[in-house]
Amino acid sequence: YLEFSVLSVCTDLFVWEKFSNQNKFQRKRYHHGTFPDNFLWGVSSSAYQVEGGWNADGKGPSTWDTFSQKPGNILNNDNGDVACDSYNKFNEDLYMLRALRVKSYRFSLSWSRIFPNGNKTSVNNLGVDYYNRIINGLLAHNITPMVTLHHWDLPQALQDIGGWQNLNMIDIFNEFCDFCFDTFGDRVKFWMTFNQPHTIAWVGYGLGLMPPSIKKPGEAPYMIAHNLLKAHAKVYHTYDEKYKKLQGGLVSITLNADWIEPKDADVPREIAAADRALQFQLGWFAHPIFKNGDYPDAMKWQVGNKSELQGHENSRIPTFTAEEKAYIQGTADFFSINTYTSRVAHHTTMKILPASYETDQDLQLKNPEDSQSTAVKELRAAAWGLRRLLNWIKEEYGDPDIYISENGIATDTKTTVDDTDRFFFYKTYIDEALKAHNLDGVKLKGYTAWSLMDSFEWLSGYTVGFGLHHVDFKNPIRPRTPKRSALYYYQVIRDNGFPLPEEEKLIYGHFRNGFAWSVSTSSYQVIFSEKQSSVHDERK
């Protein structure tokens, strides 16, 4: 096993050496500089978290409507029935976007607002009109729409037929995306098929904490991921074959990852554990799409070995045919990544039973010692990890164009507009992104802050907020107020990074002609030196 672990990362040792040098010389140094002029600064949101209007104008229920309306599922029994009321207040959202001077806005489409029962036969023109207003409003102010086709809120009617466990969902999702390409694609040039498929597969079908609340940690996550990858690939090819030449857009998938630091970078087994953690989280979806159409070897070996020990005839991780590998490989035009925190990995031998995606990894994770707490305890701030993650993506996946599609920090409800923690978070994280771009050559094309405003934060309800704008959820009109971080982010966008302040710049030039250049001495210093030299000579 140790031999396998060492061999699996031997080709990447130079990357860890590079990270080690970054840690030694640059980790705590502030870097002044700017991004390219065409760098895409943005903010993000998702449909269920901000829209509200859960049953307005013909919208059908989604799995998140059903889940959050059931008492006990969400803190304080909160739900997204109204949320930020963006369905009725998009003009106010657009005003905030204009004030920030962002170049892009990443938002998602509510599938059940467009197809109430999930199928094209139920198309809701009022829902289509709503998204047309958003897209047209953004473009009127030179803001690029970045559209996520599915951000977790599956139509309930489709969950009733098995959700992502049903292979028919591949064609059903493709039908929905095809409609969106045809309807909005003349104006939308950035598409993401899924937001964080890892969360759908593991949190929804493994841990059962989110819809559809299925707790089958040993097998369901792998099968769901398998279907999501096939669905993504089909949608990519649909766009590539029917729309790309005419519309000229780009299609990808939004993945999520924490940076994983080895407990001891001088121990090959610990490096292997950190690499394995990254492969199980990010590589699970990125490796098939950006590399060879198949799962990472570390995943296949770990799950296959555990499956054999558990008495399974076949591995719990499904296999792709040669045709499926070729179909999936290369189905992304850019790398879209959501990232918030960093962890430290330590190799350990986990239990064989019961089977679980989590114990399949044979490692333990803990927080870095120098990370800072936030309102979400799992998302401690460790800015230095962002640079390392971007470098890892560059080295692992062939130096793709990268867009950071979510990055931000949670604060509690006591923090309204004076959000100094968020101010510091963006300053340090964006500077690490700048280091990756300017010093390491990472092809970072855009940065998207999460999020435009406080919103419904899934299982946490309204107890925490990630927004650049405060929303008063106790007020029925949901007033928005800019926070200090909004002003700071505006300044970063205006400056396109962190240019060196004028007072710190070196002054270059020439003195005027006739300037007197000279040297000087003092009699006491010169005479004293001569006497000392004479005494020294006499002693010799």
Side-chain angles (χ1 to χ4, degrees):
Y1 172 74
L2 180 58
E3 180 182 5
F4 172 83
S5 298
V6 173
L7 289 175
S8 68
V9 296
C10 66
T11 57
D12 295 326
L13 287 177
F14 79 95
V15 178
W16 293 97
E17 183 178 356
K18 177 180 178 180
F19 293 160
S20 180
N21 289 336
Q22 291 175 0
N23 179 52
K24 184 176 181 181
F25 301 113
Q26 298 165 345
R27 180 160 158 175
K28 295 185 178 181
R29 297 177 68 177
Y30 196 73
H31 173 68
H32 287 283
T34 57
F35 290 95
D37 291 340
N38 62 350
F39 193 76
L40 204 62
W41 294 102
V43 290
S44 53
S45 70
S46 84
Y48 186 75
Q49 292 179 272
V50 301
E51 286 182 3
W54 79 274
N55 61 352
D57 295 333
K59 178 186 173 295
S62 74
T63 51
W64 268 95
D65 291 318
T66 303
F67 180 80
S68 67
Q69 290 168 2
K70 182 178 178 181
N73 281 342
I74 308 295
L75 283 177
N76 299 327
N77 289 325
D78 292 335
N79 60 53
D81 289 3
V82 179
C84 304
D85 199 23
S86 287
Y87 185 69
N88 296 305
K89 300 172 75 70
F90 178 70
N91 286 336
E92 294 185 27
D93 298 351
L94 184 59
Y95 181 85
M96 294 190 293
L97 293 165
R98 292 167 56 196
L100 286 171
R101 297 292 194 269
V102 292
K103 295 182 180 179
S104 69
Y105 179 47
R106 176 177 173 253
F107 64 98
S108 72
L109 306 177
S110 169
W111 189 342
S112 58
R113 192 178 297 284
I114 296 174
F115 293 174
N117 69 9
N119 293 285
K120 187 176 180 179
T121 54
S122 67
V123 63
N124 175 24
N125 290 325
L126 292 176
V128 173
D129 291 344
Y130 170 65
Y131 292 114
N132 274 322
R133 289 196 300 274
I134 292 178
I135 294 166
N136 293 338
L138 294 173
L139 293 175
H141 297 284
N142 298 314
I143 300 172
T144 298
M146 302 183 79
V147 176
T148 303
L149 290 154
H150 180 51
H151 196 126
W152 303 353
D153 49 343
L154 189 71
Q156 183 60 48
L158 297 180
Q159 187 57 50
D160 293 341
I161 62 169
W164 292 108
Q165 291 175 301
N166 186 339
L167 285 176
N168 292 328
M169 281 293 298
I170 296 171
D171 291 328
I172 295 171
F173 182 57
N174 185 67
E175 178 187 58
F176 170 65
C177 296
D178 192 348
F179 176 87
C180 293
F181 295 150
D182 186 53
T183 305
F184 310 120
D186 58 326
R187 290 153 292 154
V188 175
K189 306 305 175 186
F190 284 90
W191 297 98
M192 292 85 154
T193 53
F194 294 102
N195 178 75
Q196 297 188 194
H198 177 278
T199 303
I200 299 172
W202 174 232
V203 184
Y205 286 84
L207 294 174
L209 297 176
M210 291 184 174
S213 305
I214 292 173
K215 298 179 182 179
K216 294 182 178 180
E219 296 181 357
Y222 297 118
M223 184 57 67
I224 296 303
H226 209 64
N227 293 342
L228 293 175
L229 281 163
K230 290 180 180 179
H232 161 79
K234 182 155 191 172
V235 170
Y236 179 90
H237 287 291
T238 293
Y239 187 85
D240 192 54
E241 294 164 8
K242 293 181 62 175
Y243 300 101
K244 189 164 191 174
K245 185 177 180 179
L246 179 64
Q247 297 179 356
L250 303 174
V251 177
S252 188
I253 183 172
T254 297
L255 306 179
N256 64 294
D258 307 329
W259 169 246
I260 309 295
E261 185 82 1
K263 181 180 180 181
D264 188 338
D266 293 324
V267 178
R269 189 169 73 168
E270 301 292 23
I271 293 177
D275 183 79
R276 193 162 61 247
L278 284 163
Q279 298 294 356
F280 264 82
Q281 186 182 32
L282 183 56
W284 193 3
F285 297 90
H287 200 282
I289 293 170
F290 290 91
K291 296 197 81 167
N292 65 356
D294 200 3
Y295 299 114
D297 288 340
M299 281 192 77
K300 292 193 294 183
W301 191 89
Q302 286 285 136
V303 181
N305 184 49
K306 290 285 181 95
S307 298
E308 183 178 353
L309 294 173
Q310 292 156 355
H312 294 275
E313 291 186 8
N314 300 305
S315 175
R316 286 178 285 107
I317 192 167
T319 58
F320 292 113
T321 65
E323 292 77 15
E324 288 171 338
K325 292 177 185 178
Y327 194 70
I328 294 170
Q329 183 182 5
T331 54
D333 298 318
F334 57 93
F335 203 107
S336 176
I337 184 70
N338 295 350
T339 185
Y340 291 86
T341 188
S342 299
R343 307 297 299 278
V344 175
H346 169 56
H347 170 81
T348 187
T349 301
M350 303 294 283
K351 59 186 179 181
I352 300 298
L353 293 172
S356 171
Y357 158 84
E358 191 170 40
T359 57
D360 284 340
Q361 300 177 49
D362 279 338
L363 56 89
Q364 291 181 331
L365 296 173
K366 65 176 184 178
N367 295 317
E369 293 181 357
D370 59 349
S371 59
Q372 295 83 44
S373 63
T374 74
V376 177
K377 65 179 182 179
E378 298 85 3
L379 300 180
R380 295 179 66 88
W384 53 268
L386 176 58
R387 180 183 179 187
R388 297 188 173 205
L389 178 63
L390 293 172
N391 270 272
W392 195 84
I393 292 171
K394 168 185 166 68
E395 302 293 348
E396 185 74 3
Y397 301 115
D399 197 17
D401 290 346
I402 302 173
Y403 290 84
I404 296 173
S405 40
E406 284 185 24
N407 184 234
I409 181 176
T411 50
D412 59 30
T413 54
K414 295 179 182 178
T415 303
T416 54
V417 297
D418 194 13
D419 58 340
T420 53
D421 287 350
R422 183 169 292 106
F423 188 112
F424 182 74
F425 180 95
Y426 282 124
K427 182 174 185 177
T428 54
Y429 268 77
I430 295 173
D431 196 61
E432 291 298 315
L434 183 66
K435 290 178 187 177
H437 180 276
N438 287 2
L439 304 181
D440 308 328
V442 173
K443 293 195 292 190
L444 184 63
K445 300 296 183 179
Y447 177 91
T448 308
W450 181 270
S451 58
L452 173 62
M453 56 189 158
D454 294 336
S455 59
F456 176 82
E457 285 301 332
W458 309 113
L459 298 179
S460 298
Y462 301 104
T463 61
V464 298
F466 282 82
L468 291 165
H469 296 81
H470 174 255
V471 178
D472 184 357
F473 293 104
K474 295 180 180 179
N475 189 320
I477 64 172
R478 300 297 195 267
R480 287 97 153 108
T481 307
K483 303 178 184 179
R484 291 184 184 271
S485 59
L487 175 60
Y488 179 71
Y489 191 48
Y490 161 80
Q491 293 171 338
V492 173
I493 295 172
R494 179 198 62 193
D495 296 338
N496 203 25
F498 309 101
L500 191 66
E502 288 296 326
E503 61 270 20
E504 295 186 26
K505 291 181 179 178
L506 295 175
I507 298 177
Y508 293 94
H510 298 85
F511 290 95
R512 65 183 180 273
N513 291 336
F515 186 82
W517 294 100
S518 183
V519 293
S520 63
T521 65
S522 77
S523 60
Y524 182 79
Q525 288 175 286
V526 173
I527 294 171
F528 179 79
S529 297
E530 290 176 349
K531 287 182 178 180
Q532 288 293 96
S533 178
S534 176
V535 170
H536 179 69
D537 290 342
E538 289 176 2
R539 288 178 177 174
K540 288 176 65 177

